[in-house]
Amino acid sequence: MDIEDRTQHSDAAGAPPPPLGVAQAEAALVEHYPRLVRIAFITLPPTLGRHRRVLAAHGIVQRALPTRRTRRTPDLPAQRGGPRAASRSAYATLRARVLSEALTYGKKPGRWPGSHRLRHPLPAVWGLRIFPAAGGAAELALEQALSGADSATRAALALRRVEELDEDTTRTLLSEAGVAEPALALRTADRLGRQALGEPGEGTQHPLLSGEFDPCFVHARPTDLLRRRHRVRTAGAAVVVAAVAAVTLPLVLREGPQPQERAAATGTVNASIAQHVLDPRNLARAGKDEWADTSRVDFTVWPARGDRLDDTALLDRALKVWASPARTVRISSTPSTGTQPPTQPPRLLYAGDVDGTSVVLLNDGDRTVRYAEPADPKQPPVLDFARTDDADVVTGAALIVTRDGPNSRFLTAPWIDETVTRDLLQPNAPGRNLEVRADGVTAPVPRPGAGGTCDSWPVLQLRSSELIVEKHAFLLTDLGDQAPVHLTYTPPPGSGAPARQPREATSAAALQSWARTACHLSSLRGAGVRAVNNWVYAQQNLPEAAGRADWVCTRADTWRGPGRVLIQLQLPGGRPAAPGVPVAEVRDTASCSRFGQHVVAGIGWQGPKSGNWYLLAAGSRKVTRIEASGGVKAAGPGPFLAVRAPKGTQAQLRARMADGSELEGLR
């Protein structure tokens, strides 16, 4: 571990770019054209396909060049750094324009699919499909990871790995380009890169710099020749149809406008599937009180609710879009969650209108699927997939129905008798009752970490019906997936007591611990997390009589199985919601679970009185000795170690257990 000063500094605001002159802009664009096109290509949504992404990336960069006709600002003045400094400034301005356009591609109001090609027909390629060169395993893994990320995350990864910018500069550029949560995009990009590639080796080129992400070096293949010939043959027929329509259309218009039903945004639906599985009449529906008469309390006993349960047209569109979504449908899924069609009629959980959006919630036993139609029929529908197999009374207690700006609405389970909201960062403040509609939909709840800040962390505190379990209250939080995350707490070990089990995080001690952990949850957003447990595995008296610190292992378990842990040191004093100091983070580990009940970790700490630096280490209850090696050599009996060590010292920890086995320290 590093013994370092973890004082945080405020971000420096980026200076606004100077006016951009045509001559300098053109020179900078020609010189750095491949870099700019690569940034645009990476940022653009993968749903465009490689051919359209290549063309769109080139078009965005070419349109970033200002024209003399529209330019109102003088050429760039001479700068102290000379021509090179002017070139760098011109490049930075072009990069900002490219980034902004790529982030908003296809999202600006009033546009329809394909409108970019009508307004900006160049560059264009006819009769060929073009695409970058195929890469290796690392490039493929990164491309697959990027396909599920939003534009802001992809842009952050491009700025960090292609441009090699630091975090502060990247955060500033993303904010200026209109990204609402640049800090979240940075964290997600960093997590995505590590999950896809692991820790890069020294001197290894990042896959984003490879040919697979270079839209300036492309391969070409012919389009579908038979389809092209068929289109030529049907062009004449289209002209005839247009002529007939020109004659008959005025007659139709005289009768006045006719109501038009929204069409399903689907591709080709397999007829054998549609006949039975996709028939809305075959949807499974649980009885209203079935949950109270069964030992299995999960999504299988949720009754169908909402004001559009009998809207066959809406249900039919939802099922068909699930089975074969059109390219315009916006699809998202939690990690390792398939988007394939159902193999049997799914269960209907909800169908209704919420905040102007028509929502259908379906469950096929392993997944919960959310279909949403915006009020504007020109906007494409949304299809969200979440893994929810093996849900229980807690993890099956609520689902996200809508996210509208900074707020979310939940659909609560039928066995929930009381719904309260509370702020994790205010552990001593009482909860507030949350209004719930008759169909189970809650009033809007602020989304945690909205705006990239951590000034508050709203959670739901739900209480189950006594028909299920008596006096059972628990916490759920929204981490960006369709299923909210269950928060639990494991208290510190008692004297000679057996290992304690996780319990609901509603006690005063649990809320105090979570107040200092909540802001660390942002790094788990969108990771398919099922539950997070805060385990206070040790309490250590600090040197210089500085008080007692809590060693906390925060473990996040995902729906797909793997978990990750964060070791943090919660120091005494300060604000009740002051975040704990991160000590170690490990992914895909059994540590701090029932399969890995022992842990040891350490960190550097500076004494408040003397200013001296110490190596602090602590282990779980069965640790009988801790040894440090490397930059400092020390050992001590028991589960704690505190020795003087210079700042920045590297040390490796090893613990001896009560049964004679050894345990490596987490780093």
Side-chain angles (χ1 to χ4, degrees):
M1 75 293 300
D2 293 327
I3 302 179
E4 57 183 0
D5 185 0
R6 295 182 177 266
T7 305
Q8 298 181 353
H9 302 280
S10 60
D11 298 337
L20 181 61
V22 176
Q24 291 171 340
E26 184 177 10
L29 187 142
V30 171
E31 179 183 359
H32 302 290
Y33 186 84
R35 288 172 60 187
L36 292 170
V37 177
R38 189 186 292 262
I39 293 172
F41 180 79
I42 296 170
T43 305
L44 285 168
T47 53
L48 292 175
R50 292 188 294 174
H51 175 84
R52 289 176 58 194
R53 281 173 71 194
V54 169
L55 296 179
H58 283 275
I60 287 173
V61 174
Q62 293 170 17
R63 292 193 298 273
L65 184 66
T67 63
R68 295 187 183 275
R69 182 177 58 185
T70 58
R71 179 175 55 86
R72 298 181 180 178
T73 56
D75 283 354
L76 282 169
Q79 302 185 27
R80 294 182 181 179
R84 290 188 177 180
S87 175
R88 286 195 299 268
S89 180
Y91 171 73
T93 306
L94 288 171
R95 181 178 60 193
R97 291 187 176 190
V98 168
L99 192 65
S100 178
E101 182 68 19
L103 284 166
T104 58
Y105 188 89
K107 298 179 181 178
K108 295 183 179 179
R111 297 182 182 175
W112 59 93
S115 63
H116 281 81
R117 285 172 286 176
L118 293 177
R119 293 184 302 107
H120 305 294
L122 297 178
V125 175
W126 296 91
L128 290 174
R129 304 291 294 178
I130 60 176
F131 49 90
E139 288 79 6
L140 177 61
L142 184 57
E143 175 67 23
Q144 291 176 339
L146 286 173
S147 65
D150 58 18
S151 297
T153 299
R154 295 193 299 270
L157 198 59
L159 293 175
R160 290 281 286 148
R161 301 308 177 192
V162 176
E163 295 292 271
E164 298 182 346
L165 301 179
D166 58 41
E167 290 189 5
D168 291 342
T169 305
T170 301
R171 189 182 299 110
T172 300
L173 288 176
L174 292 175
S175 178
E176 292 175 349
V179 174
E181 300 183 35
L184 174 60
L186 264 173
R187 290 193 297 269
T188 307
D190 182 59
R191 172 174 56 81
L192 182 148
R194 289 200 307 268
Q195 287 179 342
L197 306 172
E199 296 297 334
E202 187 174 348
T204 303
Q205 175 181 271
H206 196 276
L208 284 181
L209 300 174
S210 67
E212 178 149 345
F213 297 94
D214 184 3
C216 290
F217 181 75
V218 297
H219 291 262
R221 294 291 185 273
T223 56
D224 190 330
L225 299 178
L226 294 177
R227 182 180 298 176
R228 190 196 311 174
R229 183 180 303 171
H230 176 71
R231 287 174 178 172
V232 172
R233 290 176 177 175
T234 57
V239 173
V240 175
V241 172
V244 174
V247 175
T248 59
L249 184 59
L251 300 176
V252 176
L253 292 178
R254 289 195 190 106
E255 300 177 1
Q258 300 296 319
Q260 189 174 30
E261 186 177 325
R262 184 173 183 141
T266 66
T268 302
V269 180
N270 188 311
S272 62
I273 297 178
Q275 186 174 4
H276 177 67
V277 177
L278 304 183
D279 189 339
R281 295 170 298 181
N282 295 331
L283 286 171
R285 305 188 186 206
K288 181 179 178 181
D289 298 321
E290 187 173 331
W291 61 271
D293 298 320
T294 180
S295 59
R296 180 176 178 178
V297 185
D298 56 15
F299 293 114
T300 61
V301 294
W302 272 41
R305 290 172 288 176
D307 55 6
R308 299 185 66 176
L309 295 177
D310 299 324
D311 191 335
T312 305
L314 172 63
L315 300 177
D316 182 67
R317 292 195 298 273
L319 289 167
K320 288 182 178 177
V321 170
W322 178 1
S324 181
R327 296 181 62 183
T328 56
V329 177
R330 292 181 293 169
I331 301 175
S332 70
S333 63
T334 55
S336 299
T337 304
T339 60
Q340 68 273 12
T343 57
Q344 58 184 1
R347 182 174 301 278
L348 177 62
L349 304 181
Y350 184 85
D353 293 329
V354 184
D355 295 331
T357 300
S358 300
V359 180
V360 177
L361 294 179
L362 302 165
N363 182 275
D364 69 350
D366 294 327
R367 301 166 296 170
T368 296
V369 180
R370 174 181 174 270
Y371 172 79
E373 289 180 351
D376 184 358
K378 295 181 180 179
Q379 296 297 318
V382 177
L383 202 58
D384 298 325
F385 294 84
R387 186 169 175 176
T388 54
D389 51 321
D390 295 327
D392 54 26
V393 65
V394 175
T395 54
L399 291 170
I400 301 292
V401 180
T402 60
R403 288 190 176 92
D404 185 13
N407 298 321
S408 300
R409 287 184 186 264
F410 297 82
L411 177 66
T412 58
W415 56 82
I416 298 302
D417 274 356
E418 182 180 74
T419 306
V420 174
T421 61
R422 66 182 315 136
D423 185 356
L424 276 188
L425 301 189
Q426 298 183 18
N428 299 321
R432 294 178 295 179
N433 289 329
L434 181 65
E435 182 180 352
V436 181
R437 299 187 333 196
D439 60 0
V441 176
T442 70
V445 178
R447 294 170 57 189
T453 62
C454 193
D455 300 326
S456 66
W457 198 277
V459 296
L460 291 183
Q461 180 169 312
L462 306 180
R463 183 173 60 81
S464 301
S465 167
E466 292 188 356
L467 295 176
I468 301 295
V469 59
E470 293 184 357
K471 298 180 180 179
H472 179 227
F474 51 93
L475 299 185
L476 299 178
T477 188
D478 179 6
L479 289 185
D481 295 323
Q482 192 175 338
V485 177
H486 181 207
L487 303 181
T488 58
Y489 170 75
T490 302
S495 177
R500 302 190 179 187
Q501 298 299 317
R503 57 201 65 186
E504 302 302 345
T506 53
S507 66
L511 293 174
Q512 292 288 345
S513 179
W514 268 110
R516 307 195 62 179
T517 305
C519 290
H520 292 303
L521 290 174
S522 295
S523 63
L524 301 174
R525 198 180 302 274
V529 175
R530 175 187 180 123
V532 184
N533 181 54
N534 242 18
W535 173 31
V536 183
Y537 71 85
Q539 293 180 308
Q540 182 178 18
N541 292 321
L542 298 174
E544 302 182 11
R548 188 177 66 179
D550 287 349
W551 289 85
V552 180
C553 181
T554 303
R555 179 178 175 84
D557 287 305
T558 62
W559 286 93
R560 64 189 186 278
R564 56 187 286 190
V565 300
L566 169 69
I567 304 295
Q568 54 173 313
L569 180 63
Q570 296 182 352
L571 297 168
R575 297 180 295 109
V581 179
V583 175
E585 185 174 0
V586 184
R587 300 172 184 272
D588 298 332
T589 178
S591 297
C592 305
S593 72
R594 58 176 177 167
F595 302 109
Q597 300 182 14
H598 307 299
V599 63
V600 62
I603 193 176
W605 174 80
Q606 187 177 26
K609 297 179 181 178
S610 66
N612 295 326
W613 281 87
Y614 295 82
L615 168 64
L616 301 181
S620 48
R621 60 189 182 89
K622 289 194 175 182
V623 170
T624 60
R625 180 178 177 84
I626 298 178
E627 299 177 355
S629 59
V632 58
K633 295 186 181 297
F640 302 111
L641 181 67
V643 295
R644 289 277 300 276
K647 178 182 178 181
T649 298
Q650 298 285 335
Q652 293 78 44
L653 297 176
R654 182 181 297 273
R656 185 176 299 277
M657 310 301 296
D659 60 1
S661 62
E662 292 188 342
L663 180 68
E664 294 286 343
L666 296 183
R667 304 179 65 182

